[in-house]
Amino acid sequence: MSTLLECKGLFKSYSGRPALKNVNLAIESGHIVGLLGPNGSGKTTLIKLINGLLTPTQGELYINQNPVGVESKKIVSYLPDHTYLDMNLKVRDIISYFMDFYEDFDEKKAYDMLSKLRINPGDKLNTMSKGTKEKVQLILVMSRRAKLYVLDEPIAGVDPAARDYILDIILSNYEEDATILISTHLIADIENILDQVIFLKHGEISLISSVDDIRSGQGKSVDALFREVFRC
Amino acid sequence: MPWNLTSDRPIFSQIMDIIFQNIISGKYAPGEKLPSVRDLAAQAAVNPNTMQKALSELEKTGVVFAKRTSGRYITEDTAMIQELKSHMALEKIQEFLKSMENLGISNEETAVLLTEILEGEK
């Protein structure tokens, strides 16, 4: 297994206010990793650095040995925490837009997932419920044959039944050997699909561990440990 | 429907127990081919690496065996499955006795209670 994502001494400040402090981490391919932390702990900042939407104040970041740039964007599929899609477009139009944009986009996969979730490709985004919009965006992201999927809060806006569906989409559609980085604070809902977790606290990494080690070492779930570490 | 997993034990060992149960109850027949790691992981809603680990552990017990290229199969050794059944039954009974003990009920009292209930059911 090769290192897919590597952060070396990563710092990020917003006008002098630190958001990430000395983040060092290496993630290999073939894992589903939870990026966990309370609000304001730096999850989205780290994710935006990975996607090149922000530049580090200090430190280095490599994806598949390449610095963030055109090469890394080809292999990273990103679900942002806020939508950037034009709400007036139909799902069908967005799919062709994605096909133009990403050479690894699998059209058939996208339409298969839409029909499985009974979403009509002829519908416009602005006619859909919040949960359905989120499903559409996740389908677009998971339809790419990427090496790294970065999902920022993929289940926050949907009901518990739809969460199972979304986890199913994630599990059955990511490329083998790819890694998925999921940020969330709804830990109990996704804990079973994670094999590693990263805890972020005030912009610093406070724990990197496998889920099995937490459960067998501490005899408690990741959710329970999280509540303990981040008790207010 | 995701498998019913609790939060206090490693997931792979819970998966092993569920697969053991499915074998004992006959849901997976002797000699039957198991679904792929990915499909099983999706069914259970767990991480594929965790499912992989559970299946390798199951292989070590001999209840599941791998054919080089075609996947994993349930053992055809029905004696082994019987043995597994008695083993799991024993475990369940010990768990039950333990929880009765926590209620302050001795094994003897439990036995009397059990007999009464079983008699009543007839």
Side-chain angles (χ1 to χ4, degrees), chain A residues 152-166:
Chain A
D152 198 355
E153 297 283 358
I155 55 170
V158 299
D159 63 80
R163 276 174 207 170
D164 287 345
Y165 255 133
I166 283 190

Side-chain angles (χ1 to χ4, degrees), chain A residues 216-230:
Chain A
S216 50
Q218 316 235 11
K220 57 180 73 125
S221 65
V222 176
D223 187 56
L225 181 67
F226 183 90
R227 285 165 200 260
E228 211 175 278
V229 172
F230 295 105

